[in-house]
Amino acid sequence: KQEVTQIPAALSVPEGENLVLNCSFTDSAIYNLQWFRQDPGKGLTSLLLIQSSQREQTSGRLNASLDKSSGRSTLYIAASQPGDSATYLCAVRRDTGNQFYFGTGTSLTVIP
Amino acid sequence: GAGVSQSPSNKVTEKGKDVELRCDPISGHTALYWYRQSLGQGLEFLIYFQGNSAPDKSGLPSDRFSAERTGGSVSTLTIQRTQQEDSAVYLCASSTGGGGGELFFGEGSRLTVL
């Protein structure tokens, strides 16, 4: 079974700081990895999808990297803003089966 | 529609009643997933549909839970004889292809069982 861990569980940073969120997974035989944000009381919003053959994906101030062999992904947020405050989740799909396995998320607070 | 639509957004029911939760995926998305998110918990996989068939029902927690999908589109998750531990947010997601594409979620249905 795939285990997905996100550390830290919570993070508080001042506005403007660059930050890195971590996601690790136990089984490196993955199909893809996806990063989401979840605002309180809302569903999940897709941020970035990385296929297993890719090393990184970028969207605006966000950059996600993938190191399959070490079972790790990072989400880099540049020049953080208060609007970035949310819970960030990563999800991994194994290359067999259909489930996406989710981490429990990192709750980010960006202080103005 | 533009995104995944779920209804109702909130449902309060009494223990022992049956409930139905509806999911309308993004048009053209053949893969559909149901997940459950309990307070302070991670997302728990329930069931996966590819078209109208459900090749993976392994996450359904008991036989009180069932789901169907008709016309390769709308899906209904039914919980019979609800229990207090069924209280959670039920999230639906859809994607293109065989389920390996980008996953898009609805806003969820919050179920409270009194």
mmCIF file with all atom_site columns, all heavy atoms in Angstrom, chain A residues 9-13 19 21 77 80-82 84-88 106-110:
data_model
loop_
_atom_site.group_PDB
_atom_site.id
_atom_site.type_symbol
_atom_site.label_atom_id
_atom_site.label_alt_id
_atom_site.label_comp_id
_atom_site.label_asym_id
_atom_site.label_entity_id
_atom_site.label_seq_id
_atom_site.pdbx_PDB_ins_code
_atom_site.Cartn_x
_atom_site.Cartn_y
_atom_site.Cartn_z
_atom_site.occupancy
_atom_site.B_iso_or_equiv
_atom_site.pdbx_formal_charge
_atom_site.auth_seq_id
_atom_site.auth_comp_id
_atom_site.auth_asym_id
_atom_site.auth_atom_id
_atom_site.pdbx_PDB_model_num
ATOM 1   N N   . ALA A 1 9   ? 3.207  19.586 9.314  1.00 0.00 ? 9   ALA A N   1
ATOM 2   C CA  . ALA A 1 9   ? 1.745  19.590 9.300  1.00 0.00 ? 9   ALA A CA  1
ATOM 3   C C   . ALA A 1 9   ? 1.210  21.007 9.238  1.00 0.00 ? 9   ALA A C   1
ATOM 4   O O   . ALA A 1 9   ? 0.124  21.253 8.713  1.00 0.00 ? 9   ALA A O   1
ATOM 5   C CB  . ALA A 1 9   ? 1.215  18.873 10.536 1.00 0.00 ? 9   ALA A CB  1
ATOM 6   N N   . ALA A 1 10  ? 1.971  21.950 9.788  1.00 0.00 ? 10  ALA A N   1
ATOM 7   C CA  . ALA A 1 10  ? 1.560  23.350 9.772  1.00 0.00 ? 10  ALA A CA  1
ATOM 8   C C   . ALA A 1 10  ? 2.784  24.224 9.626  1.00 0.00 ? 10  ALA A C   1
ATOM 9   O O   . ALA A 1 10  ? 3.873  23.880 10.106 1.00 0.00 ? 10  ALA A O   1
ATOM 10  C CB  . ALA A 1 10  ? 0.784  23.705 11.041 1.00 0.00 ? 10  ALA A CB  1
ATOM 11  N N   . LEU A 1 11  ? 2.582  25.360 8.962  1.00 0.00 ? 11  LEU A N   1
ATOM 12  C CA  . LEU A 1 11  ? 3.690  26.262 8.686  1.00 0.00 ? 11  LEU A CA  1
ATOM 13  C C   . LEU A 1 11  ? 3.162  27.690 8.675  1.00 0.00 ? 11  LEU A C   1
ATOM 14  O O   . LEU A 1 11  ? 2.111  27.962 8.066  1.00 0.00 ? 11  LEU A O   1
ATOM 15  C CB  . LEU A 1 11  ? 4.301  25.911 7.325  1.00 0.00 ? 11  LEU A CB  1
ATOM 16  C CG  . LEU A 1 11  ? 5.496  26.708 6.819  1.00 0.00 ? 11  LEU A CG  1
ATOM 17  C CD1 . LEU A 1 11  ? 6.689  26.508 7.744  1.00 0.00 ? 11  LEU A CD1 1
ATOM 18  C CD2 . LEU A 1 11  ? 5.847  26.266 5.402  1.00 0.00 ? 11  LEU A CD2 1
ATOM 19  N N   . SER A 1 12  ? 3.882  28.583 9.338  1.00 0.00 ? 12  SER A N   1
ATOM 20  C CA  . SER A 1 12  ? 3.494  29.988 9.369  1.00 0.00 ? 12  SER A CA  1
ATOM 21  C C   . SER A 1 12  ? 4.677  30.822 8.940  1.00 0.00 ? 12  SER A C   1
ATOM 22  O O   . SER A 1 12  ? 5.774  30.679 9.508  1.00 0.00 ? 12  SER A O   1
ATOM 23  C CB  . SER A 1 12  ? 3.042  30.364 10.790 1.00 0.00 ? 12  SER A CB  1
ATOM 24  O OG  . SER A 1 12  ? 2.592  31.689 10.835 1.00 0.00 ? 12  SER A OG  1
ATOM 25  N N   . VAL A 1 13  ? 4.488  31.673 7.931  1.00 0.00 ? 13  VAL A N   1
ATOM 26  C CA  . VAL A 1 13  ? 5.596  32.462 7.395  1.00 0.00 ? 13  VAL A CA  1
ATOM 27  C C   . VAL A 1 13  ? 5.141  33.896 7.180  1.00 0.00 ? 13  VAL A C   1
ATOM 28  O O   . VAL A 1 13  ? 3.950  34.163 6.967  1.00 0.00 ? 13  VAL A O   1
ATOM 29  C CB  . VAL A 1 13  ? 6.106  31.876 6.059  1.00 0.00 ? 13  VAL A CB  1
ATOM 30  C CG1 . VAL A 1 13  ? 6.598  30.444 6.235  1.00 0.00 ? 13  VAL A CG1 1
ATOM 31  C CG2 . VAL A 1 13  ? 5.060  31.952 4.969  1.00 0.00 ? 13  VAL A CG2 1
ATOM 32  N N   . LEU A 1 19  ? 8.998  29.562 0.219  1.00 0.00 ? 19  LEU A N   1
ATOM 33  C CA  . LEU A 1 19  ? 8.852  28.413 1.098  1.00 0.00 ? 19  LEU A CA  1
ATOM 34  C C   . LEU A 1 19  ? 8.747  27.118 0.304  1.00 0.00 ? 19  LEU A C   1
ATOM 35  O O   . LEU A 1 19  ? 8.442  27.119 -0.888 1.00 0.00 ? 19  LEU A O   1
ATOM 36  C CB  . LEU A 1 19  ? 7.627  28.593 2.008  1.00 0.00 ? 19  LEU A CB  1
ATOM 37  C CG  . LEU A 1 19  ? 6.289  28.765 1.316  1.00 0.00 ? 19  LEU A CG  1
ATOM 38  C CD1 . LEU A 1 19  ? 5.514  27.464 1.344  1.00 0.00 ? 19  LEU A CD1 1
ATOM 39  C CD2 . LEU A 1 19  ? 5.458  29.866 1.986  1.00 0.00 ? 19  LEU A CD2 1
ATOM 40  N N   . LEU A 1 21  ? 7.223  23.103 0.598  1.00 0.00 ? 21  LEU A N   1
ATOM 41  C CA  . LEU A 1 21  ? 6.398  22.078 1.247  1.00 0.00 ? 21  LEU A CA  1
ATOM 42  C C   . LEU A 1 21  ? 6.851  20.715 0.746  1.00 0.00 ? 21  LEU A C   1
ATOM 43  O O   . LEU A 1 21  ? 7.191  20.556 -0.433 1.00 0.00 ? 21  LEU A O   1
ATOM 44  C CB  . LEU A 1 21  ? 4.918  22.286 0.910  1.00 0.00 ? 21  LEU A CB  1
ATOM 45  C CG  . LEU A 1 21  ? 4.349  23.676 1.206  1.00 0.00 ? 21  LEU A CG  1
ATOM 46  C CD1 . LEU A 1 21  ? 2.876  23.732 0.814  1.00 0.00 ? 21  LEU A CD1 1
ATOM 47  C CD2 . LEU A 1 21  ? 4.538  24.041 2.663  1.00 0.00 ? 21  LEU A CD2 1
ATOM 48  N N   . ILE A 1 77  ? 6.893  27.651 -3.259 1.00 0.00 ? 77  ILE A N   1
ATOM 49  C CA  . ILE A 1 77  ? 6.046  28.824 -3.460 1.00 0.00 ? 77  ILE A CA  1
ATOM 50  C C   . ILE A 1 77  ? 6.930  30.052 -3.311 1.00 0.00 ? 77  ILE A C   1
ATOM 51  O O   . ILE A 1 77  ? 7.542  30.272 -2.249 1.00 0.00 ? 77  ILE A O   1
ATOM 52  C CB  . ILE A 1 77  ? 4.888  28.885 -2.443 1.00 0.00 ? 77  ILE A CB  1
ATOM 53  C CG1 . ILE A 1 77  ? 4.032  27.611 -2.528 1.00 0.00 ? 77  ILE A CG1 1
ATOM 54  C CG2 . ILE A 1 77  ? 4.023  30.122 -2.698 1.00 0.00 ? 77  ILE A CG2 1
ATOM 55  C CD1 . ILE A 1 77  ? 2.897  27.543 -1.507 1.00 0.00 ? 77  ILE A CD1 1
ATOM 56  N N   . SER A 1 80  ? 5.580  34.501 -1.126 1.00 0.00 ? 80  SER A N   1
ATOM 57  C CA  . SER A 1 80  ? 4.271  34.117 -0.584 1.00 0.00 ? 80  SER A CA  1
ATOM 58  C C   . SER A 1 80  ? 3.396  35.336 -0.283 1.00 0.00 ? 80  SER A C   1
ATOM 59  O O   . SER A 1 80  ? 3.890  36.431 0.068  1.00 0.00 ? 80  SER A O   1
ATOM 60  C CB  . SER A 1 80  ? 4.447  33.273 0.665  1.00 0.00 ? 80  SER A CB  1
ATOM 61  O OG  . SER A 1 80  ? 5.186  33.980 1.637  1.00 0.00 ? 80  SER A OG  1
ATOM 62  N N   . GLN A 1 81  ? 2.088  35.128 -0.418 1.00 0.00 ? 81  GLN A N   1
ATOM 63  C CA  . GLN A 1 81  ? 1.085  36.168 -0.198 1.00 0.00 ? 81  GLN A CA  1
ATOM 64  C C   . GLN A 1 81  ? 0.037  35.653 0.785  1.00 0.00 ? 81  GLN A C   1
ATOM 65  O O   . GLN A 1 81  ? -0.181 34.442 0.888  1.00 0.00 ? 81  GLN A O   1
ATOM 66  C CB  . GLN A 1 81  ? 0.408  36.522 -1.523 1.00 0.00 ? 81  GLN A CB  1
ATOM 67  C CG  . GLN A 1 81  ? 1.355  36.987 -2.611 1.00 0.00 ? 81  GLN A CG  1
ATOM 68  C CD  . GLN A 1 81  ? 0.672  37.130 -3.955 1.00 0.00 ? 81  GLN A CD  1
ATOM 69  O OE1 . GLN A 1 81  ? -0.516 36.824 -4.111 1.00 0.00 ? 81  GLN A OE1 1
ATOM 70  N NE2 . GLN A 1 81  ? 1.420  37.586 -4.943 1.00 0.00 ? 81  GLN A NE2 1
ATOM 71  N N   . PRO A 1 82  ? -0.658 36.546 1.497  1.00 0.00 ? 82  PRO A N   1
ATOM 72  C CA  . PRO A 1 82  ? -1.707 36.087 2.425  1.00 0.00 ? 82  PRO A CA  1
ATOM 73  C C   . PRO A 1 82  ? -2.745 35.194 1.751  1.00 0.00 ? 82  PRO A C   1
ATOM 74  O O   . PRO A 1 82  ? -3.278 34.278 2.371  1.00 0.00 ? 82  PRO A O   1
ATOM 75  C CB  . PRO A 1 82  ? -2.311 37.392 2.934  1.00 0.00 ? 82  PRO A CB  1
ATOM 76  C CG  . PRO A 1 82  ? -1.189 38.380 2.868  1.00 0.00 ? 82  PRO A CG  1
ATOM 77  C CD  . PRO A 1 82  ? -0.419 37.996 1.622  1.00 0.00 ? 82  PRO A CD  1
ATOM 78  N N   . ASP A 1 84  ? -2.239 32.933 -0.240 1.00 0.00 ? 84  ASP A N   1
ATOM 79  C CA  . ASP A 1 84  ? -1.733 31.569 -0.357 1.00 0.00 ? 84  ASP A CA  1
ATOM 80  C C   . ASP A 1 84  ? -2.082 30.729 0.866  1.00 0.00 ? 84  ASP A C   1
ATOM 81  O O   . ASP A 1 84  ? -1.862 29.508 0.872  1.00 0.00 ? 84  ASP A O   1
ATOM 82  C CB  . ASP A 1 84  ? -0.201 31.570 -0.526 1.00 0.00 ? 84  ASP A CB  1
ATOM 83  C CG  . ASP A 1 84  ? 0.252  32.215 -1.820 1.00 0.00 ? 84  ASP A CG  1
ATOM 84  O OD1 . ASP A 1 84  ? -0.502 32.184 -2.812 1.00 0.00 ? 84  ASP A OD1 1
ATOM 85  O OD2 . ASP A 1 84  ? 1.364  32.775 -1.832 1.00 0.00 ? 84  ASP A OD2 1
ATOM 86  N N   . SER A 1 85  ? -2.607 31.358 1.895  1.00 0.00 ? 85  SER A N   1
ATOM 87  C CA  . SER A 1 85  ? -2.974 30.633 3.123  1.00 0.00 ? 85  SER A CA  1
ATOM 88  C C   . SER A 1 85  ? -4.053 29.607 2.805  1.00 0.00 ? 85  SER A C   1
ATOM 89  O O   . SER A 1 85  ? -5.127 29.950 2.303  1.00 0.00 ? 85  SER A O   1
ATOM 90  C CB  . SER A 1 85  ? -3.475 31.606 4.194  1.00 0.00 ? 85  SER A CB  1
ATOM 91  O OG  . SER A 1 85  ? -2.460 32.516 4.561  1.00 0.00 ? 85  SER A OG  1
ATOM 92  N N   . ALA A 1 86  ? -3.759 28.346 3.091  1.00 0.00 ? 86  ALA A N   1
ATOM 93  C CA  . ALA A 1 86  ? -4.655 27.230 2.782  1.00 0.00 ? 86  ALA A CA  1
ATOM 94  C C   . ALA A 1 86  ? -3.963 25.959 3.248  1.00 0.00 ? 86  ALA A C   1
ATOM 95  O O   . ALA A 1 86  ? -2.828 26.001 3.722  1.00 0.00 ? 86  ALA A O   1
ATOM 96  C CB  . ALA A 1 86  ? -4.931 27.143 1.281  1.00 0.00 ? 86  ALA A CB  1
ATOM 97  N N   . THR A 1 87  ? -4.649 24.837 3.082  1.00 0.00 ? 87  THR A N   1
ATOM 98  C CA  . THR A 1 87  ? -4.020 23.538 3.296  1.00 0.00 ? 87  THR A CA  1
ATOM 99  C C   . THR A 1 87  ? -3.596 22.986 1.946  1.00 0.00 ? 87  THR A C   1
ATOM 100 O O   . THR A 1 87  ? -4.376 22.997 0.990  1.00 0.00 ? 87  THR A O   1
ATOM 101 C CB  . THR A 1 87  ? -4.977 22.561 3.998  1.00 0.00 ? 87  THR A CB  1
ATOM 102 O OG1 . THR A 1 87  ? -5.295 23.071 5.300  1.00 0.00 ? 87  THR A OG1 1
ATOM 103 C CG2 . THR A 1 87  ? -4.341 21.184 4.146  1.00 0.00 ? 87  THR A CG2 1
ATOM 104 N N   . TYR A 1 88  ? -2.354 22.530 1.877  1.00 0.00 ? 88  TYR A N   1
ATOM 105 C CA  . TYR A 1 88  ? -1.804 21.994 0.633  1.00 0.00 ? 88  TYR A CA  1
ATOM 106 C C   . TYR A 1 88  ? -1.664 20.480 0.765  1.00 0.00 ? 88  TYR A C   1
ATOM 107 O O   . TYR A 1 88  ? -1.093 19.985 1.739  1.00 0.00 ? 88  TYR A O   1
ATOM 108 C CB  . TYR A 1 88  ? -0.451 22.639 0.331  1.00 0.00 ? 88  TYR A CB  1
ATOM 109 C CG  . TYR A 1 88  ? -0.610 24.088 -0.066 1.00 0.00 ? 88  TYR A CG  1
ATOM 110 C CD1 . TYR A 1 88  ? -0.802 25.068 0.910  1.00 0.00 ? 88  TYR A CD1 1
ATOM 111 C CD2 . TYR A 1 88  ? -0.611 24.466 -1.400 1.00 0.00 ? 88  TYR A CD2 1
ATOM 112 C CE1 . TYR A 1 88  ? -0.991 26.392 0.543  1.00 0.00 ? 88  TYR A CE1 1
ATOM 113 C CE2 . TYR A 1 88  ? -0.792 25.788 -1.771 1.00 0.00 ? 88  TYR A CE2 1
ATOM 114 C CZ  . TYR A 1 88  ? -0.986 26.746 -0.791 1.00 0.00 ? 88  TYR A CZ  1
ATOM 115 O OH  . TYR A 1 88  ? -1.195 28.060 -1.150 1.00 0.00 ? 88  TYR A OH  1
ATOM 116 N N   . THR A 1 106 ? -0.376 20.055 4.534  1.00 0.00 ? 106 THR A N   1
ATOM 117 C CA  . THR A 1 106 ? 0.350  21.075 5.294  1.00 0.00 ? 106 THR A CA  1
ATOM 118 C C   . THR A 1 106 ? -0.519 22.319 5.329  1.00 0.00 ? 106 THR A C   1
ATOM 119 O O   . THR A 1 106 ? -0.914 22.825 4.273  1.00 0.00 ? 106 THR A O   1
ATOM 120 C CB  . THR A 1 106 ? 1.704  21.403 4.643  1.00 0.00 ? 106 THR A CB  1
ATOM 121 O OG1 . THR A 1 106 ? 2.558  20.265 4.709  1.00 0.00 ? 106 THR A OG1 1
ATOM 122 C CG2 . THR A 1 106 ? 2.371  22.581 5.343  1.00 0.00 ? 106 THR A CG2 1
ATOM 123 N N   . SER A 1 107 ? -0.837 22.769 6.531  1.00 0.00 ? 107 SER A N   1
ATOM 124 C CA  . SER A 1 107 ? -1.647 23.977 6.692  1.00 0.00 ? 107 SER A CA  1
ATOM 125 C C   . SER A 1 107 ? -0.717 25.186 6.704  1.00 0.00 ? 107 SER A C   1
ATOM 126 O O   . SER A 1 107 ? 0.116  25.341 7.598  1.00 0.00 ? 107 SER A O   1
ATOM 127 C CB  . SER A 1 107 ? -2.431 23.900 8.008  1.00 0.00 ? 107 SER A CB  1
ATOM 128 O OG  . SER A 1 107 ? -3.147 25.104 8.212  1.00 0.00 ? 107 SER A OG  1
ATOM 129 N N   . LEU A 1 108 ? -0.847 26.024 5.684  1.00 0.00 ? 108 LEU A N   1
ATOM 130 C CA  . LEU A 1 108 ? 0.037  27.183 5.523  1.00 0.00 ? 108 LEU A CA  1
ATOM 131 C C   . LEU A 1 108 ? -0.689 28.465 5.902  1.00 0.00 ? 108 LEU A C   1
ATOM 132 O O   . LEU A 1 108 ? -1.809 28.716 5.455  1.00 0.00 ? 108 LEU A O   1
ATOM 133 C CB  . LEU A 1 108 ? 0.503  27.276 4.066  1.00 0.00 ? 108 LEU A CB  1
ATOM 134 C CG  . LEU A 1 108 ? 1.281  28.533 3.682  1.00 0.00 ? 108 LEU A CG  1
ATOM 135 C CD1 . LEU A 1 108 ? 2.628  28.561 4.414  1.00 0.00 ? 108 LEU A CD1 1
ATOM 136 C CD2 . LEU A 1 108 ? 1.503  28.606 2.174  1.00 0.00 ? 108 LEU A CD2 1
ATOM 137 N N   . THR A 1 109 ? -0.034 29.266 6.718  1.00 0.00 ? 109 THR A N   1
ATOM 138 C CA  . THR A 1 109 ? -0.529 30.602 7.044  1.00 0.00 ? 109 THR A CA  1
ATOM 139 C C   . THR A 1 109 ? 0.532  31.606 6.648  1.00 0.00 ? 109 THR A C   1
ATOM 140 O O   . THR A 1 109 ? 1.684  31.507 7.089  1.00 0.00 ? 109 THR A O   1
ATOM 141 C CB  . THR A 1 109 ? -0.829 30.742 8.543  1.00 0.00 ? 109 THR A CB  1
ATOM 142 O OG1 . THR A 1 109 ? -1.798 29.761 8.929  1.00 0.00 ? 109 THR A OG1 1
ATOM 143 C CG2 . THR A 1 109 ? -1.381 32.135 8.846  1.00 0.00 ? 109 THR A CG2 1
ATOM 144 N N   . VAL A 1 110 ? 0.160  32.567 5.805  1.00 0.00 ? 110 VAL A N   1
ATOM 145 C CA  . VAL A 1 110 ? 1.057  33.634 5.400  1.00 0.00 ? 110 VAL A CA  1
ATOM 146 C C   . VAL A 1 110 ? 0.607  34.906 6.110  1.00 0.00 ? 110 VAL A C   1
ATOM 147 O O   . VAL A 1 110 ? -0.510 35.383 5.906  1.00 0.00 ? 110 VAL A O   1
ATOM 148 C CB  . VAL A 1 110 ? 1.056  33.829 3.875  1.00 0.00 ? 110 VAL A CB  1
ATOM 149 C CG1 . VAL A 1 110 ? 2.016  34.953 3.490  1.00 0.00 ? 110 VAL A CG1 1
ATOM 150 C CG2 . VAL A 1 110 ? 1.445  32.531 3.170  1.00 0.00 ? 110 VAL A CG2 1
#
